[in-house]
Structures are given as C-alpha cells and as structure tokens.
Coordinates of all heavy atoms in Angstrom, one line a residue:
D1 N -44.0 74.4 -44.7 CA -43.8 74.7 -46.1 C -44.5 75.9 -46.7 O -45.1 76.5 -45.8 CB -44.3 73.5 -47.0 CG -45.9 73.2 -46.8 OD1 -46.4 73.8 -45.9 OD2 -46.4 72.6 -47.7
C2 N -44.2 76.3 -48.0 CA -44.8 77.6 -48.3 C -45.3 77.4 -49.8 O -45.0 76.4 -50.5 CB -43.7 78.6 -48.3 SG -42.2 78.4 -49.3
Y3 N -46.0 78.4 -50.4 CA -46.5 78.3 -51.7 C -45.9 79.4 -52.6 O -45.7 80.5 -52.1 CB -48.0 78.3 -51.8 CG -48.6 79.7 -51.4 CD1 -48.8 80.6 -52.4 CD2 -49.0 80.0 -50.1 CE1 -49.4 82.0 -52.1 CE2 -49.5 81.2 -49.8 CZ -49.8 82.1 -50.8 OH -50.4 83.3 -50.3
E4 N -45.6 79.1 -53.9 CA -45.1 80.1 -54.9 C -46.3 80.7 -55.5 O -47.2 80.1 -55.8 CB -44.2 79.4 -55.8 CG -43.1 78.5 -55.2 CD -41.8 79.3 -55.1 OE1 -41.7 80.4 -55.6 OE2 -40.9 78.7 -54.5
G5 N -46.1 82.0 -55.9 CA -47.0 82.7 -56.7 C -48.4 82.7 -56.0 O -48.6 83.0 -54.9
N6 N -49.5 82.1 -56.7 CA -50.8 82.0 -56.2 C -51.1 80.7 -55.7 O -52.2 80.3 -55.3 CB -51.8 82.3 -57.3 CG -52.0 81.3 -58.3 OD1 -51.3 80.4 -58.4 ND2 -53.0 81.5 -59.2
G7 N -50.1 79.8 -55.6 CA -50.2 78.5 -55.0 C -50.9 77.5 -55.9 O -51.3 76.4 -55.4
S8 N -51.1 77.8 -57.1 CA -51.8 76.7 -57.9 C -50.9 75.5 -58.2 O -51.4 74.5 -58.5 CB -52.2 77.5 -59.3 OG -51.0 78.0 -59.9
S9 N -49.6 75.7 -57.9 CA -48.7 74.4 -58.1 C -48.3 74.0 -56.6 O -47.5 73.1 -56.6 CB -47.4 74.8 -58.8 OG -46.8 75.9 -58.2
Y10 N -49.0 74.5 -55.6 CA -48.7 74.0 -54.3 C -49.0 72.5 -54.2 O -50.2 72.2 -54.5 CB -49.4 74.9 -53.2 CG -49.3 74.4 -51.7 CD1 -48.1 74.5 -51.0 CD2 -50.3 73.7 -51.2 CE1 -47.9 74.0 -49.9 CE2 -50.2 73.2 -50.0 CZ -49.0 73.2 -49.2 OH -48.9 72.8 -48.0
R11 N -48.1 71.8 -53.7 CA -48.4 70.2 -53.6 C -48.0 69.8 -52.2 O -47.7 68.6 -52.0 CB -47.7 69.4 -54.7 CG -48.2 69.8 -56.0 CD -49.6 69.3 -56.3 NE -50.2 69.6 -57.6 CZ -50.8 70.7 -58.0 NH1 -51.0 71.7 -57.1 NH2 -51.4 70.9 -59.1
G12 N -48.0 70.7 -51.2 CA -47.6 70.4 -49.9 C -48.8 69.7 -49.1 O -49.9 69.3 -49.7
I13 N -48.6 69.4 -47.8 CA -49.5 68.6 -47.0 C -50.2 69.4 -46.0 O -50.9 68.8 -45.1 CB -48.7 67.4 -46.4 CG1 -47.6 67.9 -45.5 CG2 -48.2 66.5 -47.5 CD1 -47.1 66.8 -44.5
T14 N -50.3 70.7 -46.0 CA -51.2 71.5 -45.1 C -52.7 71.1 -45.4 O -53.0 71.1 -46.6 CB -50.9 73.0 -45.3 OG1 -49.6 73.2 -45.0 CG2 -51.7 73.8 -44.3
S15 N -53.5 71.0 -44.2 CA -54.9 70.6 -44.4 C -55.6 71.4 -43.4 O -56.6 71.0 -42.9 CB -55.1 69.2 -44.4 OG -54.6 68.7 -43.1
E16 N -55.1 72.6 -43.1 CA -55.8 73.5 -42.1 C -56.0 74.8 -42.6 O -55.1 75.3 -43.3 CB -54.9 73.5 -40.8 CG -55.5 74.1 -39.6 CD -54.5 74.1 -38.5 OE1 -54.5 73.1 -37.7 OE2 -53.8 75.1 -38.3
T17 N -57.0 75.5 -42.2 CA -57.3 76.9 -42.7 C -56.7 78.0 -41.7 O -56.3 77.6 -40.6 CB -58.8 77.2 -42.8 OG1 -59.4 77.3 -41.5 CG2 -59.5 76.0 -43.6
V18 N -56.8 79.2 -42.2 CA -56.2 80.3 -41.5 C -56.8 80.4 -40.0 O -56.2 80.8 -39.0 CB -56.3 81.7 -42.2 CG1 -55.3 81.7 -43.4 CG2 -57.7 81.9 -42.6
S19 N -58.0 80.0 -40.0 CA -58.8 80.1 -38.6 C -58.6 78.8 -37.9 O -59.3 78.6 -36.8 CB -60.2 80.5 -38.8 OG -60.9 79.4 -39.4
G20 N -57.9 77.9 -38.3 CA -57.5 76.7 -37.5 C -58.6 75.5 -37.8 O -58.6 74.5 -37.1
K21 N -59.4 75.8 -38.8 CA -60.4 74.7 -39.1 C -59.8 73.6 -40.0 O -58.8 73.9 -40.7 CB -61.6 75.2 -39.9 CG -62.3 76.4 -39.2 CD -63.6 76.8 -40.0 CE -64.1 78.1 -39.3 NZ -64.5 78.0 -38.0
K22 N -60.3 72.3 -39.9 CA -59.8 71.3 -40.7 C -60.5 71.4 -42.1 O -61.6 71.8 -42.2 CB -60.1 69.9 -40.1 CG -59.2 69.5 -38.9 CD -57.7 69.5 -39.2 CE -57.3 68.5 -40.1 NZ -56.0 68.6 -40.7
C23 N -59.7 70.9 -43.1 CA -60.2 70.9 -44.5 C -61.1 69.7 -44.6 O -60.8 68.7 -44.2 CB -59.1 70.9 -45.5 SG -58.1 72.4 -45.5
Q24 N -62.2 70.0 -45.5 CA -63.1 68.9 -45.9 C -62.4 68.1 -46.9 O -61.7 68.7 -47.7 CB -64.4 69.4 -46.4 CG -65.4 68.5 -47.0 CD -66.7 69.2 -47.5 OE1 -67.2 70.1 -46.9 NE2 -67.0 68.8 -48.8
W25 N -62.5 66.8 -47.0 CA -61.9 66.0 -48.2 C -62.7 66.6 -49.5 O -63.8 66.8 -49.6 CB -62.2 64.6 -48.0 CG -61.2 63.9 -47.1 CD1 -60.9 64.4 -45.7 CD2 -60.3 62.8 -47.2 NE1 -60.0 63.6 -45.2 CE2 -59.6 62.6 -46.0 CE3 -60.2 61.9 -48.3 CZ2 -58.7 61.6 -45.9 CZ3 -59.2 60.8 -48.1 CH2 -58.6 60.7 -47.0
W26 N -61.8 66.6 -50.6 CA -62.3 67.1 -51.8 C -63.3 66.2 -52.4 O -64.2 66.7 -53.2 CB -61.1 67.3 -52.8 CG -60.1 68.5 -52.4 CD1 -58.9 68.2 -51.9 CD2 -60.3 69.8 -52.5 NE1 -58.3 69.4 -51.6 CE2 -59.1 70.4 -52.0 CE3 -61.2 70.6 -53.1 CZ2 -58.9 71.8 -52.0 CZ3 -61.2 72.0 -53.1 CH2 -59.9 72.6 -52.5
N27 N -63.1 64.9 -52.1 CA -64.1 63.9 -52.7 C -65.4 63.8 -51.9 O -66.1 62.9 -52.1 CB -63.3 62.5 -52.9 CG -63.0 61.8 -51.7 OD1 -63.3 62.5 -50.6 ND2 -62.3 60.8 -51.7
S28 N -65.5 64.6 -50.8 CA -66.7 64.6 -50.0 C -67.6 65.7 -50.4 O -67.1 66.8 -50.8 CB -66.3 64.6 -48.6 OG -67.4 64.9 -47.7
M29 N -68.9 65.5 -50.2 CA -69.8 66.6 -50.5 C -70.5 66.9 -49.2 O -71.6 67.5 -49.2 CB -70.9 66.1 -51.5 CG -70.4 65.9 -52.9 SD -69.9 67.5 -53.6 CE -68.5 66.9 -54.5
S30 N -69.8 66.7 -48.1 CA -70.4 67.0 -46.7 C -69.3 67.6 -45.9 O -68.2 67.0 -45.8 CB -70.9 65.7 -46.1 OG -71.4 66.0 -44.8
P31 N -69.5 68.6 -45.1 CA -70.7 69.4 -44.9 C -71.1 70.3 -46.1 O -72.2 70.7 -46.4 CB -70.5 70.2 -43.7 CG -69.2 70.5 -43.7 CD -68.5 69.2 -44.2
H32 N -70.1 70.4 -47.1 CA -70.3 71.3 -48.3 C -70.4 70.6 -49.6 O -69.3 70.0 -50.0 CB -69.3 72.5 -48.2 CG -69.1 73.2 -47.0 ND1 -70.1 74.1 -46.6 CD2 -68.2 73.1 -46.0 CE1 -69.8 74.6 -45.4 NE2 -68.7 74.1 -45.0
S33 N -71.5 70.7 -50.3 CA -71.5 70.1 -51.6 C -70.8 71.2 -52.5 O -70.9 72.4 -52.3 CB -73.1 70.1 -52.0 OG -73.1 69.7 -53.4
H34 N -70.1 70.6 -53.4 CA -69.3 71.6 -54.3 C -69.0 71.1 -55.6 O -69.3 69.9 -56.0 CB -68.0 71.9 -53.5 CG -67.1 70.7 -53.4 ND1 -66.2 70.4 -54.3 CD2 -67.0 69.8 -52.3 CE1 -65.6 69.3 -53.8 NE2 -66.1 68.9 -52.7
Q35 N -68.3 71.8 -56.5 CA -67.9 71.4 -57.8 C -66.4 71.2 -58.1 O -66.1 71.0 -59.3 CB -68.4 72.6 -58.8 CG -70.0 72.8 -58.6 CD -70.3 74.1 -59.5 OE1 -69.7 74.5 -60.4 NE2 -71.4 74.7 -59.1
K36 N -65.7 71.3 -57.1 CA -64.2 71.2 -57.2 C -63.8 69.6 -56.9 O -63.4 69.3 -55.9 CB -63.4 72.1 -56.3 CG -63.8 73.5 -56.5 CD -63.3 74.0 -57.9 CE -63.6 75.5 -58.1 NZ -64.2 75.9 -59.4
T37 N -64.0 68.9 -58.0 CA -63.8 67.5 -57.8 C -62.5 67.1 -58.7 O -62.2 67.7 -59.6 CB -65.0 66.6 -58.2 OG1 -65.3 67.0 -59.6 CG2 -66.2 66.9 -57.3
E38 N -62.0 66.0 -58.2 CA -60.7 65.6 -58.9 C -61.0 65.3 -60.4 O -60.2 65.6 -61.3 CB -60.3 64.2 -58.3 CG -59.1 63.5 -58.8 CD -57.8 64.0 -58.3 OE1 -57.6 63.8 -57.1 OE2 -56.9 64.5 -59.0
D39 N -62.2 64.7 -60.7 CA -62.5 64.4 -62.2 C -62.7 65.6 -63.0 O -62.3 65.7 -64.1 CB -63.6 63.4 -62.2 CG -65.0 64.1 -61.7 OD1 -64.9 64.3 -60.5 OD2 -66.0 64.2 -62.4
K40 N -63.1 66.7 -62.3 CA -63.4 68.0 -63.1 C -62.0 68.8 -63.2 O -61.8 69.5 -64.1 CB -64.5 68.8 -62.3 CG -65.9 68.4 -62.7 CD -66.8 69.5 -62.2 CE -68.3 69.1 -62.3 NZ -69.1 69.9 -61.4
F41 N -61.2 68.6 -62.1 CA -59.9 69.3 -62.2 C -58.8 68.3 -61.9 O -58.2 68.1 -60.9 CB -59.9 70.3 -61.1 CG -61.0 71.4 -61.2 CD1 -62.3 71.1 -60.8 CD2 -60.7 72.6 -61.9 CE1 -63.3 72.1 -60.9 CE2 -61.7 73.5 -62.1 CZ -63.0 73.2 -61.6
P42 N -58.5 67.4 -63.0 CA -57.5 66.4 -62.8 C -56.0 66.8 -62.6 O -55.3 66.1 -62.0 CB -57.6 65.7 -64.2 CG -58.3 66.5 -65.0 CD -59.1 67.5 -64.3
N43 N -55.7 68.0 -62.9 CA -54.4 68.4 -62.8 C -54.2 69.2 -61.5 O -53.1 69.8 -61.2 CB -54.0 69.4 -63.9 CG -54.5 69.0 -65.3 OD1 -54.6 67.7 -65.4 ND2 -54.8 69.9 -66.1
A44 N -55.2 69.4 -60.7 CA -55.2 70.2 -59.5 C -54.8 69.4 -58.2 O -54.6 70.1 -57.1 CB -56.4 70.9 -59.3
D45 N -54.5 68.2 -58.3 CA -54.1 67.3 -57.2 C -55.0 67.4 -56.0 O -54.7 67.7 -54.9 CB -52.7 67.7 -56.8 CG -52.0 66.6 -55.8 OD1 -52.0 65.5 -56.2 OD2 -51.6 67.1 -54.7
L46 N -56.3 67.4 -56.3 CA -57.4 67.5 -55.2 C -57.4 66.2 -54.3 O -58.4 65.5 -54.4 CB -58.8 67.8 -55.8 CG -58.7 69.2 -56.6 CD1 -60.0 69.6 -57.1 CD2 -58.2 70.4 -55.6
K47 N -56.3 65.8 -53.7 CA -56.2 64.7 -52.9 C -56.5 64.8 -51.5 O -56.2 65.9 -50.9 CB -54.8 64.1 -53.0 CG -54.3 63.7 -54.5 CD -54.8 62.4 -54.9 CE -54.1 61.9 -56.1 NZ -54.6 62.6 -57.4
R48 N -57.2 63.8 -50.9 CA -57.5 63.8 -49.5 C -58.1 65.2 -49.1 O -59.0 65.6 -49.8 CB -56.2 63.5 -48.6 CG -55.7 62.2 -49.1 CD -54.6 61.6 -48.1 NE -53.6 62.4 -47.8 CZ -52.4 62.4 -48.5 NH1 -52.3 61.8 -49.7 NH2 -51.4 63.3 -48.3
N49 N -57.6 65.9 -48.1 CA -58.2 67.2 -47.7 C -57.1 68.1 -47.6 O -57.1 69.1 -46.8 CB -58.9 67.0 -46.2 CG -57.9 66.7 -45.2 OD1 -56.9 66.2 -45.4 ND2 -58.3 67.0 -44.0
L50 N -56.1 68.1 -48.6 CA -55.0 68.9 -48.7 C -55.4 70.3 -49.3 O -56.2 70.4 -50.1 CB -53.9 68.2 -49.6 CG -53.4 66.9 -49.0 CD1 -52.5 66.3 -50.0 CD2 -52.8 67.0 -47.6
C51 N -54.8 71.3 -48.8 CA -55.0 72.7 -49.3 C -54.4 72.8 -50.7 O -53.4 72.4 -51.0 CB -54.2 73.7 -48.5 SG -54.9 73.8 -46.7
R52 N -55.3 73.3 -51.6 CA -54.9 73.4 -53.1 C -55.6 74.7 -53.6 O -56.4 75.3 -52.9 CB -55.4 72.2 -53.9 CG -54.8 70.9 -53.5 CD -53.3 70.9 -53.9 NE -52.5 69.7 -53.7 CZ -51.7 69.5 -52.6 NH1 -51.6 70.5 -51.7 NH2 -51.1 68.4 -52.3
N53 N -55.2 75.1 -54.8 CA -55.8 76.3 -55.5 C -56.3 75.8 -56.9 O -55.6 76.2 -57.9 CB -54.8 77.5 -55.5 CG -55.5 78.7 -56.1 OD1 -56.6 78.8 -56.3 ND2 -54.6 79.6 -56.5
P54 N -57.4 75.1 -57.0 CA -57.9 74.7 -58.3 C -58.5 75.7 -59.2 O -58.7 75.5 -60.3 CB -58.8 73.6 -57.9 CG -59.4 74.0 -56.6 CD -58.2 74.7 -55.9
D55 N -58.8 76.9 -58.6 CA -59.6 77.9 -59.4 C -58.9 79.1 -59.5 O -59.5 80.2 -59.8 CB -60.9 78.1 -58.6 CG -60.8 78.6 -57.2 OD1 -59.6 78.8 -56.7 OD2 -61.8 79.1 -56.7
G56 N -57.5 79.2 -59.4 CA -56.8 80.4 -59.7 C -57.0 81.5 -58.7 O -56.8 82.7 -59.1
D57 N -57.4 81.2 -57.5 CA -57.6 82.2 -56.5 C -56.1 82.8 -56.1 O -55.1 82.4 -56.8 CB -58.3 81.6 -55.2 CG -59.0 82.7 -54.4 OD1 -58.4 83.8 -54.3 OD2 -59.9 82.4 -53.8
R58 N -56.1 83.7 -55.1 CA -54.7 84.1 -54.7 C -53.9 83.3 -53.9 O -52.7 83.6 -53.7 CB -54.9 85.5 -54.1 CG -55.7 85.5 -52.8 CD -55.7 86.9 -52.2 NE -56.3 86.9 -50.9 CZ -55.8 86.5 -49.8 NH1 -54.7 86.0 -49.8 NH2 -56.6 86.5 -48.7
A59 N -54.4 82.2 -53.3 CA -53.6 81.3 -52.5 C -54.4 80.0 -52.3 O -55.6 79.8 -52.5 CB -53.6 82.0 -51.1
P60 N -53.6 78.9 -51.8 CA -54.2 77.6 -51.4 C -55.4 77.8 -50.6 O -55.3 78.5 -49.5 CB -53.1 76.8 -50.9 CG -51.9 77.5 -51.4 CD -52.1 78.9 -51.4
W61 N -56.5 77.0 -50.7 CA -57.7 77.0 -49.9 C -58.3 75.7 -49.8 O -57.8 74.7 -50.4 CB -58.7 78.1 -50.5 CG -59.1 77.8 -51.9 CD1 -58.5 78.2 -53.0 CD2 -60.2 77.0 -52.2 NE1 -59.2 77.7 -54.1 CE2 -60.2 77.0 -53.6 CE3 -61.2 76.4 -51.6 CZ2 -61.2 76.3 -54.4 CZ3 -62.3 75.7 -52.3 CH2 -62.2 75.6 -53.6
C62 N -59.4 75.5 -49.0 CA -60.1 74.4 -49.0 C -61.5 74.7 -48.5 O -61.7 75.6 -47.8 CB -59.4 73.3 -48.1 SG -59.3 73.8 -46.3
Y63 N -62.4 73.6 -48.7 CA -63.7 73.7 -48.1 C -63.5 73.2 -46.7 O -62.6 72.5 -46.3 CB -64.8 72.8 -48.8 CG -65.0 73.2 -50.2 CD1 -64.4 72.5 -51.2 CD2 -65.7 74.2 -50.5 CE1 -64.6 72.8 -52.6 CE2 -65.9 74.6 -51.8 CZ -65.4 73.8 -52.8 OH -65.6 74.3 -54.2
T64 N -64.1 73.9 -45.8 CA -63.9 73.6 -44.3 C -64.9 72.6 -43.7 O -66.0 72.5 -44.2 CB -63.9 74.8 -43.4 OG1 -65.2 75.1 -42.9 CG2 -63.4 76.1 -44.1
T65 N -64.6 71.9 -42.7 CA -65.5 70.9 -42.0 C -66.4 71.6 -41.1 O -67.3 70.9 -40.6 CB -64.7 69.9 -41.2 OG1 -63.8 70.7 -40.3 CG2 -63.8 69.1 -42.1
D66 N -66.4 73.0 -41.1 CA -67.4 73.7 -40.3 C -68.6 74.0 -41.2 O -68.5 74.8 -42.2 CB -66.7 75.1 -39.8 CG -67.7 76.0 -39.0 OD1 -68.9 75.8 -39.2 OD2 -67.2 76.9 -38.3
P67 N -69.7 73.5 -40.9 CA -71.0 73.7 -41.7 C -71.2 75.2 -42.1 O -71.8 75.5 -43.1 CB -72.1 73.1 -41.0 CG -71.5 72.2 -40.1 CD -70.2 72.7 -39.7
S68 N -70.8 76.1 -41.2 CA -71.1 77.5 -41.3 C -70.1 78.3 -42.0 O -70.3 79.4 -42.4 CB -71.4 78.1 -39.9 OG -70.1 78.1 -39.2
V69 N -69.0 77.6 -42.4 CA -68.0 78.2 -43.2 C -67.6 77.4 -44.4 O -67.0 76.3 -44.3 CB -66.7 78.5 -42.3 CG1 -65.6 79.2 -43.2 CG2 -67.0 79.3 -41.2
R70 N -68.1 77.9 -45.6 CA -68.0 77.1 -46.9 C -66.4 76.8 -47.2 O -66.1 75.6 -47.4 CB -68.7 77.8 -48.0 CG -68.7 77.1 -49.2 CD -69.7 77.6 -50.3 NE -69.8 76.8 -51.5 CZ -70.4 75.5 -51.4 NH1 -70.8 75.1 -50.3 NH2 -70.4 74.9 -52.5
W71 N -65.5 77.8 -47.4 CA -64.2 77.7 -47.6 C -63.4 78.8 -46.9 O -63.9 79.8 -46.6 CB -64.1 77.7 -49.2 CG -64.3 79.1 -49.7 CD1 -65.5 79.7 -50.0 CD2 -63.3 80.1 -49.9 NE1 -65.3 81.0 -50.6 CE2 -64.0 81.3 -50.5 CE3 -61.9 80.2 -49.7 CZ2 -63.3 82.4 -50.8 CZ3 -61.2 81.4 -50.0 CH2 -62.0 82.5 -50.6
E72 N -62.1 78.5 -46.9 CA -61.2 79.5 -46.3 C -59.9 79.3 -46.9 O -59.5 78.2 -47.3 CB -61.2 79.3 -44.8 CG -61.8 80.3 -43.9 CD -61.6 80.0 -42.4 OE1 -61.1 79.0 -42.0 OE2 -62.0 80.9 -41.7
Y73 N -59.0 80.4 -46.9 CA -57.6 80.2 -47.2 C -57.0 79.4 -46.3 O -57.3 79.3 -45.1 CB -57.0 81.6 -47.4 CG -57.4 82.4 -48.6 CD1 -58.3 83.6 -48.4 CD2 -57.3 81.9 -49.9 CE1 -58.8 84.2 -49.4 CE2 -57.7 82.7 -50.9 CZ -58.5 83.8 -50.7 OH -59.1 84.5 -51.7
C74 N -55.9 78.8 -46.6 CA -55.1 77.8 -45.7 C -54.0 78.6 -44.9 O -53.6 79.6 -45.3 CB -54.7 76.6 -46.5 SG -56.0 75.5 -46.9
S75 N -53.6 77.8 -43.9 CA -52.5 78.5 -43.0 C -51.1 78.1 -43.6 O -50.2 77.7 -42.8 CB -52.7 77.8 -41.6 OG -52.5 76.4 -41.7
V76 N -51.0 78.1 -44.9 CA -49.7 78.0 -45.5 C -49.2 79.3 -46.1 O -50.0 80.2 -46.6 CB -49.7 76.9 -46.7 CG1 -50.7 77.3 -47.7 CG2 -48.4 76.6 -47.3
K77 N -47.9 79.6 -45.8 CA -47.3 80.8 -46.1 C -46.9 81.0 -47.6 O -46.5 80.0 -48.1 CB -46.2 81.2 -45.2 CG -46.6 81.3 -43.7 CD -47.1 82.7 -43.4 CE -47.6 82.7 -41.9 NZ -49.2 82.9 -42.0
K78 N -46.8 82.3 -48.0 CA -46.3 82.4 -49.3 C -44.8 82.4 -49.2 O -44.2 82.9 -48.2 CB -46.7 84.0 -49.8 CG -46.3 84.2 -51.2 CD -47.0 85.5 -51.8 CE -46.4 85.9 -53.1 NZ -47.1 85.4 -54.2
C79 N -44.0 81.9 -50.1 CA -42.6 81.6 -50.0 C -41.9 83.0 -50.1 O -42.5 83.9 -50.8 CB -42.0 80.8 -51.2 SG -42.7 79.2 -51.1
Ligands
LIG1 O1 -69.9 76.4 -54.6 S1 -68.9 75.9 -55.4 O2 -68.9 74.4 -55.5 N1 -67.4 76.1 -54.7 C1 -66.9 77.5 -54.3 C2 -67.7 78.5 -54.0 N2 -66.9 79.5 -53.7 N3 -65.6 79.1 -53.9 C3 -64.5 80.0 -53.7 C4 -63.3 79.1 -53.4 C5 -62.1 80.0 -53.2 N4 -61.9 80.7 -54.5 C6 -62.9 81.5 -54.8 C7 -64.3 80.8 -55.0 C8 -65.7 77.8 -54.3 C9 -68.9 76.7 -56.9 C10 -69.8 77.6 -57.2 C11 -69.8 78.2 -58.4 CL1 -71.0 79.5 -58.8 C12 -68.8 77.9 -59.3 C13 -67.9 76.9 -59.1 C14 -67.9 76.4 -57.9 F1 -66.9 75.3 -57.5

C-alpha cells in the first residue's frame, strides 16, 4: 500500500520502519515513553503498532522497538 500527501490520512497496516525495525505499540510507553496517545490524538487512528502520522510530519512514522532509536519513518511508499 501507499500514502497520499503527508500520510496524515494513511490507514494501512504497515508496522515496520525504513530500517526494518518493528514499530512500538502506540499505547505502550516502552521502550519509548511518549505523548502520542490515542486519547490525545483521537482522530489519528493510533491503533496497535501501525504506522501513522499524528503530528503532521512529512510521512507515516512510528516509535521503534529499538531502545536506541526513538522513532523512524515507515517503509510505506508515497502513492
Ligand atoms: O518525545 S515525544 O513524546 N515524541 C516525539 C519525539 N519526536 N517525535 C517526532 C516524531 C516524528 N515527527 C517529528 C517529531 C515525536 C514528544 C516530544 C515533544 Cl517535545 C512534543 C511532543 C511529543 F510527542
């Protein structure tokens, strides 16, 4: 699948980053504690560990499960 524009409306099921890391679940604070939670961003579909763009960045991203890498863009292509 692919994302339109900046991916803020991307609702696909990619959960992997550009470097092949798995995404951390949005409702988890481990390994990375963060502020991008479903209750704070109810319209951003921050479900499971799916790649999303809740902060108007240039593409879908996620917090990574690698403790040394806080977040990364995802391996989903622009349409
Ligand atoms: O640390 S965070 O919880 N999450 C965070 C940090 N960097 N990012 C990037 C994610 C991709 N887009 C640019 C910011 C997100 C965080 C920090 C601050 Cl200062 C503001 C919001 C926020 F949530």
Side-chain angles (χ1 to χ4, degrees):
D1 64 342
C2 62
Y3 69 89
E4 307 268 353
N6 73 351
S8 51
S9 60
Y10 173 75
R11 296 293 180 271
I13 60 165
T14 300
S15 58
E16 188 183 270
T17 72
V18 287
S19 68
K21 299 182 194 302
K22 283 307 290 170
C23 292
Q24 173 183 314
W25 282 52
W26 294 101
N27 64 4
S28 170
M29 292 292 145
S30 175
H32 306 288
S33 175
H34 65 88
Q35 302 171 22
K36 299 296 181 225
T37 54
E38 179 90 58
D39 59 301
K40 282 191 185 158
F41 299 85
N43 320 328
D45 193 54
L46 300 180
K47 299 276 191 288
R48 301 194 302 278
N49 64 340
L50 304 174
C51 297
R52 292 292 183 260
N53 183 13
D55 63 351
D57 202 327
R58 62 175 179 78
W61 58 274
C62 67
Y63 296 106
T64 86
T65 52
D66 178 340
S68 64
V69 180
R70 185 166 186 67
W71 70 275
E72 251 183 352
Y73 290 112
C74 285
S75 59
V76 58
K77 294 278 173 251
K78 192 171 166 87
C79 295

